[in-house]
Structure formats: structure tokens, C-alpha cells
Amino acid sequence: MRKRTTSRAKETIKEATTKATEAVKETVEKTTVKASEVIEEAKDAAADIAKAPVVEEAKETVKKAVKEVAKNIDIKKFAETTIESPGFAVTMSSIEEAIKKDIKDKGIEGKEISVYVNVEQKAAYYTVDGQGSDDYRIDLNTL
């Protein structure tokens, strides 16, 4: 009798496990299908919102505001600065380029360059990060 009870209990457990497994599989399948539908609906809703007249109107308003601000900005740009003295004329851009080349040739590293033009000596001196030297000199006659 004990064998029968154990055997029946095993069968009952097996049937219950099978039913539970099937129920879980069915629930997972339904949930997966439903989740896919919800995701698609959310995508459609997001696309509709992006196309909404309010969004388009806001875009146009921003574009108009940017154009209006751009019209009212008065930008002045210096084309070039030239230093003239008897015997020579030199542009600031040529001085800057000569200093950059001199710094590179000397292997000097730094972030901030200051330039001092001495017209009497026909030279441009510079400092790198506030540090100067007698060697930090460009002869303006050579430019």
C-alpha cells in the first residue's frame, strides 16, 4: 500500500508540475505578445507626437528667433593690423607666424603667448606662459 501511495504521489506531483509548467509557458507567451503590442503602440504614439502641429510650430518659432537674433548681431572683424615705421612695414599675422615657428624650432612648450613690439629696435619680443628670455626675439627686418 505504501508503494501505491508513493507512486500516486509521484504521479500527482508530475501532473501538477506539468500543468504548472504549461501555465507558466502560456502566461509568458501572452505577456510577450502583449509587450510587443504595447511597444509598437508606444512607437506609434511617439511618432505622432513628433509630427504634432505644436512641435512643428515650436521648431518654426525657434528658427525665426535664431534668424532674427543673427540679423541683429553686429560683428566686426579686423582683417589685418600692419605696423609701419621708416624702413619697414610688418603685419601682426606675420609676426605671430614667425613667433610660432621660433617657439617650435626651440622646442618651447606653453599655452599663453604674449607679444611685445619694439619699433625702435625693429624687433618683436615674446613670453610663453609669462616666462621670457633674451632669446625670445624676432627681428622685424627679416619678415
Side-chain angles (χ1 to χ4, degrees):
M1 189 148 155
R2 206 173 188 181
K3 232 180 185 185
R4 258 194 219 171
T5 307
T6 306
S7 181
R8 217 161 96 192
K10 285 182 181 179
E11 256 182 61
T12 305
I13 291 171
K14 187 176 180 181
E15 285 176 21
T17 304
T18 303
K19 285 181 182 178
T21 303
E22 287 174 13
V24 168
K25 283 181 183 178
E26 188 177 317
T27 302
V28 168
E29 286 174 10
K30 286 179 183 176
T31 305
T32 304
V33 168
K34 189 65 177 172
S36 297
E37 291 172 7
V38 170
I39 290 170
E40 286 304 313
E41 287 176 20
K43 284 181 184 177
D44 292 343
D48 290 344
I49 289 170
K51 294 177 186 173
V54 173
V55 174
E56 290 300 319
E57 188 176 311
K59 285 181 187 177
E60 287 304 314
T61 302
V62 169
K63 283 180 186 178
K64 287 178 185 176
V66 168
K67 285 180 182 177
E68 190 62 33
V69 168
K71 278 190 227 174
N72 293 325
I73 295 175
D74 185 20
I75 299 174
K76 291 182 177 37
K77 181 180 176 186
F78 289 96
E80 184 64 77
T81 300
T82 302
I83 300 168
E84 292 183 345
S85 185
F88 77 96
V90 64
T91 63
M92 281 303 296
S93 61
S94 64
I95 293 172
E96 290 171 4
E97 289 303 313
I99 290 172
K100 286 178 188 177
K101 182 180 180 314
D102 195 51
I103 288 172
K104 184 178 178 185
D105 292 347
K106 291 178 179 171
I108 300 169
E109 293 189 22
K111 293 183 180 184
E112 187 174 295
I113 301 167
S114 297
V115 179
Y116 307 90
V117 178
N118 186 320
V119 177
E120 274 184 26
Q121 295 178 9
K122 297 182 182 179
Y125 297 90
Y126 61 92
T127 62
V128 178
D129 292 338
Q131 300 297 313
S133 166
D134 290 338
D135 293 335
Y136 295 4
R137 178 183 187 279
I138 301 296
D139 182 355
L140 299 180
N141 289 316
T142 62
L143 300 181

